[in-house]
Amino acid sequence: LTLTLTLIPANPNPKVRSLPAVVLLYANGTVVNHDGYAAMAERPTAAAYPWAPQTPLQLLREGDLQRNDDDTKTALPPPEECGVVALYFSASWCGPCRSFSPHLKAFYDRMREKGHGLECIFVSADRSAEDCDAYSKKIPGLRVPFEQRTKIMALQRQLKVQGYPTCVLLDAATGEVICKDMRRMIMQDDRTGERFPWRKPLVQDLSQSQDGFLEELSVVLFLDGSLNDDDTAAALETLNGLASEFEKAPASPSFFFVNDHATARGVRRLCGLRTPDPQERFKKNPKEGSLRPQVAILDPHRNIVAADGELPAAWKTVDGFKELLQLFRDGQLKAKALQVD
């Protein structure tokens, strides 16, 4: 095993928000893990080399879980038996948690009666094993054993848990986050579970949903400047075809379109794209590209964007767009910094 350490002063680097920070790279420059410090601290053995990120599902499938009703050891059921997994971050000392837990249990029982392969896993923030074990009896399904603190902290960090209760729904086969706020869905948006398991559309309207935007690789199709309905329909068809191709792929990008002018203006500013002038439709020679669909590929981890003027016309076909995405990921497309205020 070869591991080379390079020390870089943090002061000139605005992307470093906390210290110590470790970014792990392969020799060719490809990023292995943007949060190498946490990965190495959580798995401080040579067996974990090169400390590639672990998904929540990988963490859950390592080691035993416990049944909440009788404390017996078990494993996460395979995807054929549980299609979706609810990770419930909660604690007995938390009042809102104690209020929500009965609603979660009723919802869990109702969805299983309807044949939905829902499993629930309690991830405890309790202060003692005794508190965790006692409180788990009020929660359906399974739990991460209290003594597996490293795993619990890793799950909290990976799913960006900032408060309690938090209930996140995952696809049991792919690990994809289906819903980041099950509590809101159960208590407000879909109390009956009629739309469960709330899978997001392949292509989202950015003015209605920002799920995944600027959290992972994002592809945005701008329709706010388009005057040609045929061009608009063709561009949306291409984007839907591309999203279908990536639906089951690991680390799939999120796909969005936007035709709301107010939303588009802010995203264009972020991408460094000019906002179309509505008066140009009356001009004899409108500026090139201002009155047709445009596209941008954003990578929040590298803080870069490849926008329409820098992208070849190949994005207009699914195969061409797949090639462009790979070139972008490999750093072979012209890109610029995101214009973050």
Side-chain angles (χ1 to χ4, degrees):
L1 302 180
T2 301
L3 180 64
T4 302
L5 296 179
T6 303
L7 299 180
I8 302 174
N11 289 343
N13 192 338
K15 297 180 187 177
V16 176
R17 295 186 174 90
S18 63
L19 296 175
V22 177
V23 178
L24 297 171
L25 309 171
Y26 288 114
N28 64 4
T30 304
V31 175
V32 179
N33 196 329
H34 289 274
D35 195 359
Y37 176 73
M40 297 169 79
E42 291 164 1
R43 294 176 283 155
T45 64
Y49 178 89
W51 294 285
Q54 287 183 296
T55 66
L57 278 185
Q58 288 174 324
L59 288 168
L60 291 171
R61 295 193 187 283
E62 283 187 357
D64 292 322
L65 300 173
Q66 285 181 284
R67 297 186 184 279
N68 288 337
D69 54 1
D70 60 13
D71 300 329
T72 56
K73 292 182 179 180
T74 187
L76 182 67
E80 307 85 63
E81 296 180 22
C82 69
V84 288
V85 177
L87 286 181
Y88 182 37
F89 298 87
S90 182
S92 61
W93 49 259
C94 166
C97 298
R98 295 195 302 271
S99 297
F100 174 63
S101 292
H103 295 281
L104 175 62
K105 186 179 187 309
F107 186 85
Y108 173 89
D109 292 340
R110 193 161 61 248
M111 292 304 101
R112 288 175 71 94
E113 286 175 5
K114 289 184 177 181
H116 291 293
L118 169 64
E119 189 53 85
C120 179
I121 299 178
F122 169 39
V123 186
S124 175
D126 277 303
R127 300 185 177 104
S128 71
E130 292 75 19
D131 288 345
C132 169
D133 293 347
Y135 182 47
S136 70
K137 300 301 179 282
K138 301 178 181 179
I139 298 171
L142 316 174
R143 71 180 180 274
V144 178
F146 181 82
E147 61 270 16
Q148 296 182 16
R149 306 310 298 168
T150 298
K151 181 183 292 187
I152 288 173
M153 288 188 291
L155 289 168
Q156 290 175 333
R157 178 175 50 80
Q158 288 188 10
L159 293 171
K160 299 180 174 62
V161 175
Q162 298 179 339
Y164 305 103
T166 293
C167 199
V168 181
L169 189 67
L170 305 178
D171 184 300
T174 66
E176 173 198 7
V177 175
I178 298 173
C179 177
K180 297 178 182 178
D181 193 354
M182 278 189 71
R183 182 189 181 200
R184 176 177 57 81
M185 295 300 293
I186 292 172
M187 300 301 290
Q188 298 178 25
D189 294 359
D190 188 24
R191 295 184 180 185
T192 63
E194 182 180 346
R195 292 180 282 126
F196 185 80
W198 313 308
R199 295 185 186 276
K200 67 183 181 184
L202 292 179
V203 178
Q204 302 177 74
D205 182 346
L206 197 52
S207 64
Q208 302 297 321
S209 171
Q210 295 83 42
D211 190 10
F213 183 62
L214 289 187
E215 294 179 10
E216 54 208 26
L217 193 68
S218 301
V219 176
V220 180
L221 177 67
F222 296 92
L223 301 175
D224 56 313
S226 177
L227 292 181
N228 188 311
D229 290 342
D230 291 338
D231 285 350
T232 297
L236 274 174
E237 184 178 353
T238 298
L239 195 64
N240 275 286
L242 185 69
S244 297
E245 291 266 343
F246 279 90
E247 184 178 8
K248 299 300 182 182
S252 172
S254 290
F255 298 91
F256 303 89
F257 72 91
V258 56
N259 54 17
D260 173 74
H261 289 276
T263 305
R265 191 177 303 115
V267 182
R268 284 180 177 277
R269 190 181 307 117
L270 180 71
C271 298
L273 279 173
R274 65 180 290 271
T275 299
D277 180 358
Q279 296 302 317
E280 287 191 12
R281 69 185 66 191
F282 303 112
K283 298 178 182 177
K284 292 182 178 180
N285 297 304
K287 292 183 179 179
E288 174 63 24
S290 64
L291 301 182
R292 61 175 176 78
Q294 295 178 292
V295 71
I297 308 172
L298 303 89
D299 185 342
H301 298 297
R302 291 186 291 167
N303 198 42
I304 59 172
V305 57
D308 188 79
E310 296 139 1
L311 292 176
W315 72 263
K316 295 182 180 179
T317 68
V318 172
D319 288 340
F321 213 139
K322 286 170 65 178
E323 283 187 33
L324 284 181
L325 274 174
Q326 191 57 53
L327 289 171
F328 180 76
R329 282 173 159 157
D330 293 342
Q332 297 180 33
L333 273 185
K334 183 179 178 183
K336 56 190 176 184
L338 289 168
Q339 306 300 304
V340 181
D341 295 334

